[in-house]
Amino acid sequence: MKNRRFITRLLVLLSISIALGYTFYTSFANQKDIVAVGDIAPNFVLKDLEGNEIELHDLRGKGVFLNFWATVCPPCVDEMPYMENNFQKYKDQGIEIIAVNFDEQPIRIERFVDRLNLNFSIVLDPGLQVSQVYGVRELPATFLIDENGVVIERRIGALTEQMVEDYVQKILPSQ
Amino acid sequence: MEKVKCECGHVNPYGTVICESCGKPFFEEEKGLLNMRYEGVARRSQTYNKTMIDKVWNFFSSVKVGIWIIVITLVASSIGTIFPQEFYIPPTANPTFFYEAEYGALGKIYYLLGFHDLYNSWWYMLLIASLGVSLIICSLDRVVPLHRALKTQKVTRHESFLKRQRVHGVSKVASFNETRNQAKNILKAKKYKLFEEDGNIVAEKGRFSRWGPYVNHIGLIIFLIGCMLRFFPGMYVDENIWVREGETVVIRGTDGEFFLRNDQFIVDFYDDADERFRDALVRAGSPIVKKYQTSATLFKRVDDGVVGRDPELVEVARHDIRVNDPFKFEGYALYQYAFKQNEISQMSFEIEESETGERFGRIDVSTYDPQTVYNLGGGYKVEIIEYFPDFYFDDRRTPASKSRIPNNPAFIFKIITPDNEEGEISFVGIQTNQDINGENTHQMRFVDIDMNHVTNLVVRKDYTLGILMVGGIVFMIGLIQGMYWTHRRVWIQKVNDELWMSAHTNKNWYGLKKDIEAVVSKTELTMPMDNVEEEEKKS
């Protein structure tokens, strides 16, 4: 009798906790449209200003510094030169920098890239499809993807030059 | 824990106050009326308190705790209405700073404690969760023993049970059998169920009303489960999309499967020439919108392509989305929600020689995707050096763009003419046309503008509505069951040479006494006393 009582209570409490635990987990830890650390970075294909397609999956084996930005976002503009400097420094060691523009008019991006003389990949995201998949609502946003395609860091907010370099070193491929 | 054996032979669980079978009170030293709550059963929570599981169980089993949870939830919800919720503040404002800037220190505390997004703050969700747990455990802990007690109750009751009922009376009658039979018939006519044992009677009706609160709680729990399911993947989508006329966009929340094209957006007004509306429109004083409509075409992506690649689309359906007439497809619904009229989509200019006013060729510049160079032939060329879709002067007093939306387009043009291959630079925006070097011979003359409407649709999918509805219906059934029926019992028992009559109801004592009056008026029985009323009269 006493045992039965204990088991009933345990079962009731346990099922409630599981249901609630899962609910809390989905609503806080695992929002489904947000790419989290540890996930395989969702694949995408985007075009750069010349119309060349860049597919994330093709970059397996390289460390990918994935940045979301816009010319109308001052901190994004500030960190572009940092990214350029680090790109020049580490591009031969298997680092790829992709800056996904937040659906701005191509002419604005073109003029901006010319002015700053940027050489890493700047891609357009018409309709913000990729930004949505990555759950990017605030700019700038940066995802670090290692050589196996796994997201190892996600940062919303501005970066300093030192941070960019530290990040790049984190994703240097082993070979 | 020992069980308690009553003198009638029934074995009661530990903690029982009144024998489940004969009704003998176990605590004779207390006189006065019996507390009939839950039939005097042992609420299990009050009895065992050994393991951690028992402790948690007992905490949530307490009605006192339950009420505190409700009160705290209510207070928190009220506080959440003092300053606006996050989704009501201007969309461009950053909540981190907005609340402090707008409401000072209180606003900051409000934000830090999560009141700005109450329904998603972890502690509010925890409160609602504990409310659900409290409901389940409180109900389980009461309904099970109550059900057993009502099932086990015997017809013949212990004398002190009868004596200590609120309505109790003693009558001396000449003929026991006749009186009993008369009483039985009258009560039967009043739709009581009659049970007999050794010449003793209990008449009972409306027992199912006792289950009302528990049915009501089941409804609430179903409702809460429905709310909980909203957090489960695929059950609930609430998104928002802006679509320009002619534009095709991916529909958020459909995992890139569906796309929508806005074919046309219309705002219709009531015709003030129509006699039927004239008076009302004069009263309103301003034009009244008749309908907001987005004519839309739905596409489905058929390639299993990667995100970002130009999708291969197949038309699925068309619909005119109006207020209360959503576009429904595959569990989703698109609702007309808002709109923006007259977004500048194209601006047209002509090169003009300032002195003569002579014009050379026209360019149409799309504000969504301007070309870099417009070649007009004959040596005339216009180059766009800079484009500001949402022009303003920034902190450094240099031209900049606030956003990517063409709210206030401005351009820096380089005009190349056969006479001047170097080109002249001018800044052209809405109502501004500046000669940068001050020596220009030509200027860009603004000639035409094209506008576009943008519609705003809400994307909604909700598989929990059915569950919420069922929860609501069960809730109401329980409420009605508990409120509009009463559980009445009348005991008639022969004790020594007297006929004792006692009665109990869970509410509406007046109704019960009316039933008894009907019995008393036609039998030898005398009207029993209402002990509570007697007490009130005395004091």
Side-chain angles (χ1 to χ4, degrees), chain B residues 309-324:
Chain B
R309 185 173 280 150
D310 287 339
E312 204 179 304
L313 299 176
V314 180
E315 184 178 325
V316 180
R318 283 166 188 256
H319 187 77
D320 293 335
I321 304 169
R322 295 192 201 103
V323 176
N324 294 333

Side-chain angles (χ1 to χ4, degrees), chain B residues 37-244:
Chain B
R37 195 169 43 155
Y38 309 119
E39 298 290 297
V41 295
R43 267 153 290 155
R44 304 174 124 208
S45 58
Q46 300 172 331
T47 55
Y48 308 98
N49 209 347
K50 274 187 177 163
T51 59
M52 200 53 214
I53 295 291
D54 288 333
K55 288 208 169 84
V56 173
W57 186 274
N58 293 348
F59 175 76
F60 283 111
S61 171
S62 158
V63 169
K64 213 182 268 173
V65 169
I67 288 173
W68 271 111
I69 294 173
I70 294 173
V71 169
I72 294 169
T73 311
L74 277 177
V75 171
S77 306
S78 331
I79 293 174
T81 63
I82 295 179
F83 299 139
Q85 287 288 297
E86 195 181 17
F87 43 81
Y88 289 127
I89 70 172
T92 49
N94 184 341
T96 324
F97 311 114
F98 176 84
Y99 287 94
E100 194 179 1
E102 201 81 352
Y103 309 107
L106 277 179
K108 187 170 191 176
I109 297 169
Y110 193 81
Y111 173 78
L112 289 176
L113 292 178
F115 281 107
H116 70 293
D117 190 14
L118 192 65
Y119 302 129
N120 290 312
S121 79
W122 62 270
W123 57 266
Y124 191 83
M125 285 177 68
L126 215 59
L127 270 177
I128 300 292
S130 24
L131 184 64
V133 175
S134 162
L135 270 173
I136 294 173
I137 294 181
C138 276
S139 304
L140 269 181
D141 235 17
R142 286 167 177 75
V143 74
V144 173
L146 176 66
H147 180 258
R148 200 189 45 234
L150 286 175
K151 223 174 67 184
T152 350
Q153 61 171 341
K154 272 202 314 181
V155 177
T156 312
R157 287 304 175 114
H158 195 268
E159 282 170 35
S160 55
F161 176 85
L162 297 176
K163 210 187 278 176
R164 288 172 63 188
Q165 289 302 317
R166 175 170 165 176
V167 173
H168 172 64
V170 173
S171 320
K172 295 229 180 259
V173 295
S175 158
F176 287 109
N177 276 336
E178 206 192 316
T179 314
R180 262 202 299 258
N181 284 334
Q182 283 170 337
K184 256 164 63 180
N185 288 334
I186 294 164
L187 287 168
K188 199 177 262 169
K190 290 205 168 288
K191 299 206 171 105
Y192 279 83
K193 273 193 208 154
L194 286 148
F195 304 92
E196 267 192 273
E197 186 190 53
D198 307 330
N200 299 324
I201 304 167
V202 60
E204 182 176 8
K205 84 179 198 186
R207 190 195 282 186
F208 91 113
S209 135
R210 295 290 286 268
W211 314 129
Y214 308 104
V215 173
N216 174 272
H217 285 178
I218 290 169
L220 263 178
I221 290 161
I222 294 173
F223 195 91
L224 286 176
I225 288 174
C227 295
M228 196 170 80
L229 284 177
R230 292 200 160 180
F231 292 100
F232 285 52
M235 293 298 288
Y236 182 71
V237 169
D238 184 10
E239 293 279 0
N240 191 297
I241 51 172
W242 285 95
V243 202
R244 294 186 176 118

